[in-house]
Amino acid sequence: MSPTAPQARLHPRTIEAVKERADIVDVVGEHVVLKKKGREFVGLCPFHDDKSPSMTVSPAKQFYYCFSCGAGGNAIKFLMELQRTSFSDVVLDLARRYQLPVETVEGPQQERLRQQLSRREALLRALALASGWFRSQLRSPAGAAALAYLKQQRGLSETTLESFELGYAPEAWDGLLKHLQQVEGLAPELLEAAGLVVPRKGGDGFYDRFRHRVMVPIRDRQGRVIGFGGRSLDGGEPKYLNSPETEVFEKGKHLFGLDRATNAIRKDDQAVVVEGYFDVIALHAAGITNAVASLGTALSSQQITQLCRCCDSRRLVLNFDTDGAGVRAAQRAIGEVEQLALQGQVELRVLHLPAGKDPDDFLKEHGAGEYRALLEQAPLWLDWQIEQALEGKDLARADQFQQAVSALVALLGKLPQSAVRSHYLQQVAERLSGGQARLAQKLEEDLRLQVKGERWHGRASRWDKPGEVGLRERAEAELLRLYLHAPAHRGAIRRELRLRELDDFALQHHRLLWAAISQLEEDNLGAGRLEAVNRGTDPGEDLGDLDLPRLLADQLLMDQSELLNRLTPLLEPNELQRMVLAQPLLQLRGTTAVLERQRSLKRCRHLLDSWRGQNLETLERCIARLLAEENGNGSATASRSTAAAPPSGSGGATPALLDMESRIEALFVELNRDALHFQELYYSERLHIGHLDQQRCAGWEETLQAPAA
């Protein structure tokens, strides 16, 4: 193996230029949601498990410091520690970002870096030229139908068309390719790298990626065209086609319309996030210019961080469609920002327009005034999620009532502040009681106990022991692999997961895969039938008809290629993993028992810790307290003589003595209610773990005794 060539040293002028240009708030704010506090900014430290904001970022000193773990330094040091990269790599990356000239001590290395920067510029130039050509085609005879669609069906004015530089991709296979190749002299390989053309399957030439589509340029925050969104005009699929990921276009890092919405977001101190390009365009045309859209994927944490940098209040309003896909998109977006919202770092609200309309349709019928009014009244994310948990539920039916209660308990159990929990517990109890005050009070008490249990139930990472996270990841992966590759048993697996409350996977990439699986199955069976399978009222035999590994691979390849790489071992098991699938029901029982046991162990640790933290009142103190009460009532002497011993000649305890004993016991139970409750829960959980161990061992023994295939 040949030794690696030494990397050229950066010229001091480049290092100084980067230090001078890189703003600490800008750099840290790309990765941490910062909130202004006086002259400085504060946020959650990314270098340890920070529960409350302990990192301070000083614009004046261009310095960050964490008062909890001691991490600190300038912008370059921050990126070195966060990304685990070298000083030179960080400086080069910042130089590219700020378009600073790169100088090195050695000439060849400097030339290579210049070539990398010039390639990026070439890609941006190709995209800008393509945008201009698409605009010209919209005004040509070939674009007449597209222009009519934009003006008549979409109701867009000439001003809006020009402002967003909308265009048209003709139906020809190589119209853009010929123009950029013959007129502008650009190589097809460069156009492919920019996402504008696609190589033919036979390897002989290229063709245009976008054909017979209205073209919407996607720009970065500097206003440079980095990609396109194309809307089909003939009903062809997909309805919306985005540019692929390229060297200049990463979907999860950009937001459509942010280049023109930034100032309005700062001014209004609020960002509105919608689903589609034309929703953004319609809102901006109506004067609501603080609107942006995600780029065909779920809203990412990086996109949320970008928005939070633009408004001091961190107020984000999600206005997604009210159909199933829109609700799921809102739930995924909430999942990304939930922890920040729970800690008060972000004010997250959700707006669902009436009658299932999207912003574009709503504005056409009702106008900007009514939209603004609804925007101001948009409920907090938690209120919206409560409504989602209750929506469509017949609370008179026991099963649906229990489903609603379980969803609400899981939701309210996440709230860290007891005052906020109390507020929502009262609100939810009133909703569930149907306005009956006495029932509402009883429900509130029951919900409070269940929420306490939810908060104990092993959700906090502090109850994990070393190695348990890896065990959980392996067990979850085994369940998902089993579901994908044992299609005949999918109904049984779903029932078991629901029965054991294991269908909310702990690891994010597993949750995303399970959500994608559920969506595919829901599209084929319908939401009602899939829920019936989960409950065990439908065998779900036709679940096995779906080729989930292939469908998921195709879907993830288009939407989430990075996630696909991580999940490939689940979609394509090796020979050893396929051997393990030989007895799926035994594996299901053992694996679910492992996961449930792990959850119970964490709950035991929490209960034991809570039990130890109680101050027990002894029997002696209970007796002393009762005697003091008796003395206060003028009957202490009689009580003492009664408590000391039974009368002479008596063969047993007197009624007075028995009464005192029962009072002592009752007082002991009352004063130690919480400790005894923790004790009871702890021993109950240990008993449950014993049952789970029997399940695991039984499954293992049956596996050993089973004849070889």
Side-chain angles (χ1 to χ4, degrees):
M1 181 176 176
S2 60
T4 303
Q7 187 175 15
R9 289 189 298 111
L10 292 169
H11 197 285
R13 284 194 296 268
T14 297
I15 298 171
E16 287 305 313
V18 167
K19 286 182 178 178
E20 185 178 337
R21 179 68 180 82
D23 179 70
I24 188 70
V25 177
D26 248 6
V27 171
V28 176
E30 287 282 353
H31 306 277
V32 177
V33 173
L34 296 175
K35 192 170 185 178
K36 195 164 187 180
K37 189 175 182 181
R39 296 182 179 180
E40 297 177 333
F41 293 82
V42 296
L44 298 175
C45 178
F47 302 113
H48 73 285
D49 187 15
D50 202 1
K51 300 301 181 185
S52 60
S54 57
M55 173 180 279
T56 297
V57 179
S58 170
K61 299 176 183 177
Q62 287 294 301
F63 194 82
Y64 73 92
Y65 184 75
C66 175
F67 288 92
S68 181
C69 70
N74 60 13
I76 296 175
K77 174 76 176 305
F78 177 84
L79 291 175
M80 288 174 63
E81 294 291 331
L82 186 71
Q83 299 172 352
R84 304 291 184 186
T85 52
S86 67
F87 175 84
S88 297
D89 288 339
V90 169
V91 172
L92 285 173
D93 187 58
L94 289 172
R96 295 188 190 101
R97 173 178 170 179
Y98 295 114
Q99 298 183 338
L100 299 173
V102 175
E103 297 181 76
T104 58
V105 175
E106 291 81 2
Q109 179 73 2
Q110 181 178 351
E111 182 58 32
R112 186 177 69 82
L113 293 171
R114 281 180 176 167
Q115 288 175 1
Q116 290 178 358
L117 292 172
S118 67
R119 175 176 169 81
R120 185 180 179 87
E121 291 302 318
L123 292 173
L124 292 171
R125 178 173 177 267
L127 289 161
L129 291 170
S131 179
W133 188 77
F134 289 139
R135 289 172 64 195
S136 70
Q137 293 303 303
L138 182 64
R139 306 295 176 170
S140 72
L147 187 60
Y149 166 80
L150 291 171
K151 286 187 173 183
Q152 296 168 19
Q153 290 184 243
R154 289 289 181 179
L156 302 180
S157 66
E158 280 288 347
T159 303
T160 301
L161 294 179
E162 289 299 322
S163 177
F164 282 89
E165 299 183 356
L166 302 183
Y168 170 66
E171 204 164 359
W173 283 88
D174 56 0
L176 177 65
L177 175 63
K178 282 183 177 178
H179 173 77
L180 294 181
Q181 194 174 4
Q182 296 172 8
V183 178
E184 302 295 343
L186 301 183
E189 290 74 18
L190 179 69
L191 302 182
E192 180 190 4
L196 295 170
V197 301
V198 179
R200 296 184 183 277
K201 288 186 178 179
D204 183 21
F206 298 83
Y207 60 91
D208 291 352
R209 179 180 295 276
F210 300 99
R211 301 180 306 283
H212 196 38
R213 291 178 179 271
V214 168
M215 298 301 293
V216 183
I218 302 168
R219 300 175 181 275
D220 62 13
R221 288 191 65 180
Q222 287 75 45
R224 299 172 297 186
V225 178
I226 55 175
F228 294 94
R231 205 278 188 192
S232 173
L233 287 170
D234 57 6
E237 292 295 334
K239 185 177 180 181
Y240 286 94
L241 177 65
N242 281 337
S243 291
E245 300 236 333
T246 67
E247 294 173 42
V248 296
F249 179 44
E250 295 180 61
K251 296 177 184 178
K253 291 185 178 180
H254 300 280
L255 288 155
F256 177 71
L258 185 58
D259 58 310
R260 58 179 63 239
T262 300
N263 291 334
I265 292 172
R266 287 199 176 103
K267 181 181 176 182
D268 296 345
D269 203 17
Q270 172 180 272
V272 180
V273 184
V274 294
E275 282 194 84
Y277 306 120
F278 286 102
D279 290 331
V280 172
I281 293 170
L283 285 167
H284 279 246
I288 303 167
T289 55
N290 59 333
V292 298
S294 57
L295 296 167
T297 61
L299 200 65
S300 71
S301 58
Q302 288 177 299
Q303 291 168 327
I304 290 167
T305 301
Q306 286 187 57
L307 292 173
C308 289
R309 293 171 63 198
C310 299
C311 52
D312 290 337
S313 70
R314 280 24 180 197
R315 186 181 189 189
L316 309 181
V317 183
L318 304 178
N319 181 195
F320 292 172
D321 292 348
T322 53
D323 59 9
V327 170
R328 286 189 294 274
Q331 295 284 19
R332 288 195 297 270
I334 288 171
E336 289 289 346
V337 76
E338 185 177 79
Q339 286 304 313
L340 294 168
L342 287 169
Q343 294 161 359
Q345 294 290 295
V346 171
E347 181 187 335
L348 184 65
R349 295 179 178 270
V350 182
L351 170 61
H352 266 188
L353 299 173
K357 295 190 179 299
D358 59 29
D360 190 7
D361 292 334
F362 184 87
L363 288 168
K364 288 174 184 173
E365 291 188 23
H366 302 278
E370 286 193 39
Y371 184 88
R372 288 184 186 277
L374 290 173
L375 199 59
E376 290 303 314
Q377 299 165 14
L380 287 167
W381 66 279
L382 194 60
D383 295 286
W384 179 79
Q385 286 202 309
I386 288 173
E387 292 300 323
Q388 289 298 308
L390 294 172
E391 187 175 2
K393 296 287 193 302
D394 181 359
L395 298 180
R397 290 181 52 182
D399 59 337
Q400 295 194 29
F401 182 86
Q402 186 55 50
Q403 289 172 21
V405 168
S406 298
L408 292 168
V409 166
L411 184 61
L412 300 183
K414 300 174 183 178
L415 292 171
Q417 297 103 345
S418 59
V420 178
R421 280 201 309 276
S422 296
H423 165 78
Y424 278 107
L425 281 168
Q426 183 179 8
Q427 176 184 316
V428 165
E430 289 175 359
R431 290 288 303 277
L432 292 173
S433 69
Q436 301 179 46
R438 186 172 296 179
L439 178 59
Q441 185 176 2
K442 181 68 173 71
L443 279 171
E444 185 178 346
E445 293 174 1
D446 290 344
L447 286 168
R448 192 178 300 277
L449 286 174
Q450 290 189 59
V451 167
K452 281 185 179 180
E454 179 73 15
R455 290 175 63 77
W456 302 333
H457 211 62
R459 289 184 174 273
S461 59
R462 61 179 292 197
W463 305 110
D464 276 326
K465 284 195 171 181
E468 286 190 352
V469 174
L471 176 63
R472 180 166 61 242
E473 181 167 17
R474 288 194 298 274
E476 287 187 356
E478 286 299 325
L479 277 177
L480 289 167
R481 189 180 291 113
L482 184 65
Y483 194 87
L484 291 170
H485 302 286
H489 301 283
R490 285 173 184 163
I493 295 170
R494 276 195 169 274
R495 290 192 295 276
E496 190 74 8
L497 291 178
R498 174 62 62 86
L499 183 65
R500 294 181 185 255
E501 298 181 359
L502 295 173
D503 47 359
D504 183 15
F505 288 86
L507 280 83
Q508 185 183 22
H509 55 289
H510 290 161
R511 284 200 304 274
L512 291 172
L513 179 61
W514 186 245
I517 290 171
S518 298
Q519 181 56 53
L520 286 170
E521 293 176 334
E522 186 177 307
D523 291 342
N524 281 270
L525 273 70
R529 275 206 63 203
L530 192 62
E531 180 58 27
V533 175
N534 289 327
R535 293 197 305 265
T537 57
D538 186 317
E541 293 173 351
D542 40 354
L543 284 174
D545 297 339
L546 291 177
D547 186 359
L548 286 178
R550 181 185 62 80
L551 293 171
L552 288 166
D554 293 345
Q555 179 178 319
L556 295 175
L557 185 63
M558 290 178 61
D559 299 336
Q560 302 181 61
S561 55
E562 185 176 339
L563 180 62
L564 176 61
N565 293 334
R566 188 165 191 177
L567 296 175
T568 296
L570 297 181
L571 300 175
E572 301 175 5
N574 58 36
E575 187 176 352
L576 179 60
Q577 290 166 339
R578 287 189 179 278
M579 290 174 62
V580 177
L581 298 171
Q583 300 187 60
L585 293 182
L586 285 180
Q587 187 188 3
L588 173 64
R589 184 169 63 186
T591 307
T592 51
V594 167
L595 283 171
E596 194 173 351
R597 185 182 192 276
Q598 191 181 46
R599 186 175 62 189
S600 287
L601 281 172
K602 290 166 67 177
R603 179 174 165 83
C604 277
R605 292 174 205 138
H606 189 104
L607 289 170
L608 191 59
D609 190 70
S610 301
W611 182 13
R612 288 169 176 165
Q614 299 296 314
N615 293 320
L616 284 173
E617 293 290 341
T618 63
L619 286 172
E620 289 80 1
R621 289 181 185 174
C622 294
I623 294 170
R625 181 167 171 173
L626 286 173
L627 290 175
E629 290 177 0
E630 292 290 330
N631 188 42
N633 293 329
S635 56
T637 305
S639 296
R640 286 193 192 95
S641 62
T642 303
S648 59
S650 172
T654 66
L657 182 57
L658 290 173
D659 177 63
M660 175 59 76
E661 288 176 349
S662 64
R663 290 174 63 195
I664 292 171
E665 183 179 354
L667 182 60
F668 179 82
V669 170
E670 179 184 350
L671 295 177
N672 296 295
R673 184 178 304 277
D674 285 344
L676 293 173
H677 184 59
F678 285 131
Q679 181 188 53
E680 180 185 357
L681 289 172
Y682 173 77
Y683 285 119
S684 174
E685 203 69 40
R686 294 300 310 183
L687 183 63
H688 181 55
I689 289 173
H691 292 321
L692 292 172
D693 285 337
Q694 290 177 4
Q695 290 181 34
R696 292 164 55 232
C697 292
W700 175 245
E701 289 168 1
E702 291 176 44
T703 303
L704 289 177
Q705 295 167 8

